[in-house]
Amino acid sequence: MKLKYLLFVILAVCAVGGYAQFITPPAPSPTAKVVEKDGEETELAFGEEFSGEAPLNVTFYANAEEVDGFSVVYTWEFVRSGETYPFLTRYDADVQYTFNTSGTIMVQPKIIYTSKSDPNVVYEFGSYDFEPFRIVLAESSIKVPNAFSPNGDGINDYFNVYDVKSIVEFNATIYNRWGQQLYSWGIDQMDCESCGWDGTYKGKAVKDGVYYVIVTAKGADGLVYEFQRDVNVLRGYIEESAY
């Protein structure tokens, strides 16, 4: 515990039997809750690391007790790996942040107690007391198949992208050979087994054959993806994978 002004004892709030009774703010124990894009949650203690894909929602909790006679100031500094100065500073007890950039970010909490009766009495809990949280986001990737088999057998019944990592912007549109738009979907339907195009238009199955897809996406690492390719609808194709 770091004590400003070399203070080792804080304000005596009462005396009992001739002996002074002292109150020292207890050391906080910051934690974090990580919520991945599929809704899975992970709890972190200070100093722990989490590796995942963007977007990643994280809530940081100071877990600092209120102490009579003291005011509390909270600081959260977000620093990218290899840099010295924070790119973001927050001052709430609990802070929520969405990580959308690939790489490693350190989040360092600092909690300062200051006596309301004597501003020289300060207790500071920071980097000497707990290491920062480390959030690591993977580099982006996305792939687009060229065929699928919407025949109701439960295998490749939907056309969608795959091998998706750290994609923060996404749009895909299906066209027929005459340029008519048949279907479009966004990032909320990007990466699941029963999302994307099911091979229908206005509720009716399209004919087997060649269609056209345009996909645009952006990764957390700044990479921009653009795909323009044929899509083969093959209802009679029975395999473990139509990709």
Side-chain angles (χ1 to χ4, degrees):
M1 181 177 60
K2 179 182 178 182
L3 304 179
K4 281 190 174 181
Y5 313 112
L6 301 178
L7 293 177
F8 298 96
V9 181
I10 68 168
L11 183 66
V13 296
C14 62
V16 179
Y19 296 92
Q21 181 178 351
F22 301 100
I23 295 178
T24 301
S29 183
T31 58
K33 181 174 71 175
V34 180
V35 181
E36 300 180 73
K37 61 182 180 181
D38 61 1
E40 184 173 351
E41 298 183 358
T42 302
E43 300 288 339
L44 301 179
F46 59 84
E48 291 188 328
E49 178 178 297
F50 183 88
S51 297
E53 302 173 17
L56 201 64
N57 293 307
V58 186
T59 303
F60 299 92
Y61 304 93
N63 296 324
E65 294 184 18
E66 295 289 336
V67 178
D68 289 341
F70 283 85
S71 58
V72 188
V73 174
Y74 308 92
T75 305
W76 299 86
E77 294 184 340
F78 294 69
V79 182
R80 293 188 177 91
S81 179
E83 298 183 3
T84 302
Y85 300 102
F87 69 90
L88 176 68
T89 304
R90 294 283 182 83
Y91 300 97
D92 298 314
D94 301 332
V95 171
Q96 191 278 331
Y97 184 75
T98 300
F99 292 82
N100 279 318
T101 305
S102 296
T104 301
I105 294 177
M106 280 76 69
V107 182
Q108 178 67 64
K110 182 167 65 176
I111 298 102
I112 300 176
Y113 288 86
T114 303
S115 171
K116 295 179 180 179
S117 60
D118 185 351
N120 291 320
V121 178
V122 177
Y123 273 78
E124 179 179 314
F125 300 88
S127 58
Y128 288 94
D129 305 283
F130 25 72
E131 296 181 1
F133 298 93
R134 293 172 59 88
I135 306 299
V136 183
L137 293 188
E139 294 182 351
S140 66
S141 70
I142 186 172
K143 295 181 180 179
V144 181
N146 61 5
F148 75 123
S149 56
N151 52 23
D153 65 354
I155 302 174
N156 295 330
D157 286 333
Y158 291 83
F159 180 86
N160 210 338
V161 294
Y162 67 104
D163 194 20
V164 175
K165 294 181 181 179
S166 292
I167 296 297
V168 295
E169 296 179 16
F170 172 85
N171 183 262
T173 305
I174 300 290
Y175 299 90
N176 62 17
R177 68 179 69 183
W178 297 283
Q180 181 184 18
Q181 180 176 321
L182 304 183
Y183 189 76
S184 181
W185 68 104
I187 196 168
D188 59 326
Q189 299 184 59
M190 178 180 60
D191 189 22
C192 69
E193 293 182 358
S194 58
C195 296
W197 186 41
D198 64 357
T200 66
Y201 176 62
K202 293 185 176 181
K204 296 182 179 181
V206 301
K207 294 181 179 181
D208 281 16
V210 179
Y211 295 82
Y212 195 67
V213 64
I214 296 178
V215 175
T216 59
K218 183 178 179 180
D221 46 11
L223 289 179
V224 175
Y225 298 84
E226 295 182 351
F227 300 91
Q228 300 180 21
R229 64 178 51 179
D230 292 342
V231 177
N232 293 276
V233 176
L234 306 169
R235 287 188 174 82
Y237 190 71
I238 306 298
E239 284 289 345
E240 291 186 0
S241 175
Y243 294 168

